[in-house]
Amino acid sequence: MPGPWFLWSALTSTAKLSNFLQVIVFLPLTLSTLSKSAFLLLSLLIFLQSLIHGTLQLLWGSPALPVMQLPIQPFLLLVCFNVFSQTVPPLLLSLASWWGTILTYSSPLFIIFEAMSSLLVVQKLGQVGRELVGEGEAYQFWLAHSGGGGAYPAAALSPLSSTLLGVALTAFIFLTFIGFGLRRTNVIESSGLALFIAYNIWLCGFDRQSFSNPASSYAPLLGNILPHLQTLVNFITNTLPKTVLVALIYRLVVLLCAARILPTIGADSWETEYGVDDGWDGRPTYRFTKILLTYRQSILVTVYSHLLLLDHSSQVWWRWMNIFFTLVIWSIELLVSGEDDAITKEWKVD
């Protein structure tokens, strides 16, 4: 019957959204109200729980799993609050420290994934745009101009940041002209990379300290539920790290989009756009995509925890590394791609 099916679909969708929002709120709440160790312990517990959830989803695949997961994360939050309300066992502190070390030293890995995923998504957009506008270069320039632009003086306050900004923009313009000269890029692709650079520079101009201190908006739990709800609303609206949320959403979106694009790369000449027998099941990239999508909640926890763990100076440093790593990968792709690579590059050349 359509009625019960609709209700069950609405319930599972609400459960997925609730699980996502719990992660978004619980991790910074723990970091601001308890301690860094409590935050890392909760992050580790939610990560392990997400791994179990993803494995059950991979093996069982029941739509009831998101609903069954709903009470687990609040339970883990209460466990952390209870553990850190008294003397913390040394083992738990060691586990939290170990998890923090892993997240910190994983920074280059996060940057590599974000840079390569962004480049892959931008190239896919260039392909789609080329197919839509055909040979109309004027339309491509209009699409590029519609992306807009802006100046970000807050990101160039120091001599070093000003130098990095100038080098990045000069390298981007230089590579764009090389790509146009070799007929291995188009306006839409270069515009997408310009937006990617602008996005990273924009994030470099924000200092998390400019926002109110999360701990200042928190009050201990009271017997009356209304003050607690007011405190929670105040925390969400005023002290939730907005720039971190922007970086989180962007990183997850490009990673998942790139995962969906990967199975379409490297198709043989006799294969259609949709693969062999209307699917990509036989490809290694399809299995990789399936794993990424199945364990996307674990990816959410690690990416979010890593962003919350970094201070502003570290965020800015890795943003600049992200820009230059992406430019290096793009330059290699422009110079190495051969003219006979018609399958994956036919949308870049005439």
Side-chain angles (χ1 to χ4, degrees), residues 199-254:
Y199 154 77
N200 281 279
I201 295 174
W202 174 73
L203 286 181
C204 289
F206 280 92
D207 188 346
R208 204 190 300 180
Q209 297 299 325
S210 61
F211 298 101
S212 58
N213 184 8
S216 64
S217 66
Y218 178 78
L221 294 182
L222 303 177
N224 193 336
I225 190 63
L226 184 58
H228 172 54
L229 292 178
Q230 291 175 343
T231 299
L232 181 60
V233 171
N234 181 47
F235 174 83
I236 294 175
T237 56
N238 296 321
T239 60
L240 208 60
K242 300 175 181 61
T243 54
V244 172
L245 292 180
V246 172
L248 170 69
I249 293 174
Y250 174 82
R251 187 169 288 182
L252 291 178
V253 167
V254 295

Side-chain angles (χ1 to χ4, degrees), residues 23 140 155 164 190 232 244 249 274 348:
V23 174
Q140 293 189 41
L164 292 176
S190 61
L232 181 60
V244 172
I249 293 174
Y274 302 101
K348 287 190 175 183

Side-chain angles (χ1 to χ4, degrees), residues 8 12 15 53 57 60-70:
W8 178 251
T12 55
H53 173 78
Q57 190 70 42
W60 184 19
S62 173
L65 284 174
V67 180
M68 298 168 59
Q69 189 187 18
L70 270 177

Side-chain angles (χ1 to χ4, degrees), residues 96-309:
S97 177
W98 168 77
W99 179 238
T101 302
I102 291 179
L103 291 176
T104 301
Y105 284 99
S106 299
S107 296
L109 185 63
F110 286 115
I111 292 303
I112 290 173
F113 276 125
E114 180 177 337
M116 299 191 70
S117 298
S118 299
L119 184 59
L120 187 59
V121 171
V122 164
Q123 291 182 332
K124 184 63 177 180
L125 291 176
Q127 176 188 4
V128 173
R130 181 85 180 199
E131 293 172 352
L132 288 177
V133 303
E135 300 299 325
E137 296 289 338
Y139 289 103
Q140 293 189 41
F141 276 103
W142 178 82
L143 288 175
H145 180 72
S146 66
Y152 305 99
L157 294 179
S158 67
L160 177 59
S161 59
S162 300
T163 302
L164 292 176
L165 177 60
V167 172
L169 294 180
T170 303
F172 168 74
I173 295 173
F174 183 70
L175 290 175
T176 298
F177 281 114
I178 290 179
F180 284 159
L182 297 176
R183 308 294 293 173
R184 293 174 185 172
T185 188
N186 56 38
V187 177
I188 299 175
E189 178 180 321
S190 61
S191 303
L193 281 173
L195 289 176
F196 169 78
I197 295 174
Y199 154 77
N200 281 279
I201 295 174
W202 174 73
L203 286 181
C204 289
F206 280 92
D207 188 346
R208 204 190 300 180
Q209 297 299 325
S210 61
F211 298 101
S212 58
N213 184 8
S216 64
S217 66
Y218 178 78
L221 294 182
L222 303 177
N224 193 336
I225 190 63
L226 184 58
H228 172 54
L229 292 178
Q230 291 175 343
T231 299
L232 181 60
V233 171
N234 181 47
F235 174 83
I236 294 175
T237 56
N238 296 321
T239 60
L240 208 60
K242 300 175 181 61
T243 54
V244 172
L245 292 180
V246 172
L248 170 69
I249 293 174
Y250 174 82
R251 187 169 288 182
L252 291 178
V253 167
V254 295
L255 179 60
L256 296 179
C257 288
R260 295 181 183 275
I261 295 171
L262 277 177
T264 67
I265 295 178
D268 296 329
S269 58
W270 62 82
E271 293 179 359
T272 66
E273 182 182 358
Y274 302 101
V276 179
D277 298 329
D278 298 327
W280 304 99
D281 296 20
R283 292 177 174 272
T285 49
Y286 170 80
R287 291 191 289 270
F288 179 68
T289 297
K290 186 176 181 180
I291 291 175
L292 281 180
L293 296 178
T294 301
Y295 290 96
R296 57 184 177 270
Q297 189 177 91
S298 301
I299 297 174
L300 163 66
V301 175
T302 53
V303 171
Y304 193 33
S305 301
H306 172 260
L307 290 172
L308 289 171
L309 194 60

